[in-house]
Amino acid sequence: MPNPKVLAAIAIAFALSGCAPSTLEPIRGSITYNGQPRTKLTKSPIGSTFDHKFIGPGGDQYVETYRIAPDRSLELLSRYKVEIVDSR
């Protein structure tokens, strides 16, 4: 039977690996593609999120979610490609 301490260490390593921040790079069409915007979102609360819809490379439609950081910069949290279903 495996050592319980080894099993616990493996379980902790797997749990922590899921908590590691992922670095999502902006693509053409992202708000932060050419760096942070010049204007700051001064009226929006820190920590609030919003979605940005755009047509990306190749003509695909994307939705990105941003969060307003404490320094008023934007953090790109997620992106997904919108799948268009033809119902004809």
Side-chain angles (χ1 to χ4, degrees):
M1 179 151 192
N3 183 339
K5 289 183 181 180
V6 172
L7 290 176
I10 291 172
I12 290 171
F14 277 120
L16 291 177
S17 68
C19 296
S22 63
T23 55
L24 187 60
E25 295 297 322
I27 60 174
R28 188 172 35 91
S30 299
I31 294 174
T32 56
Y33 179 64
N34 289 320
Q36 291 289 326
R38 289 184 209 158
T39 58
K40 300 287 184 182
L41 298 169
T42 57
K43 294 184 180 181
S44 300
I46 292 172
S48 62
T49 59
F50 64 93
D51 289 338
H52 170 62
K53 299 175 185 176
F54 65 99
I55 304 297
D60 296 321
Q61 184 174 356
Y62 290 91
V63 177
E64 293 180 328
T65 302
Y66 288 88
R67 177 174 48 215
I68 300 176
D71 66 354
R72 299 286 178 185
S73 64
L74 298 179
E75 299 173 345
L76 178 55
L77 299 178
S78 67
R79 175 187 310 119
Y80 65 90
K81 184 167 78 167
V82 177
E83 298 294 332
I84 299 173
V85 179
D86 187 5
S87 60
R88 289 186 272 160

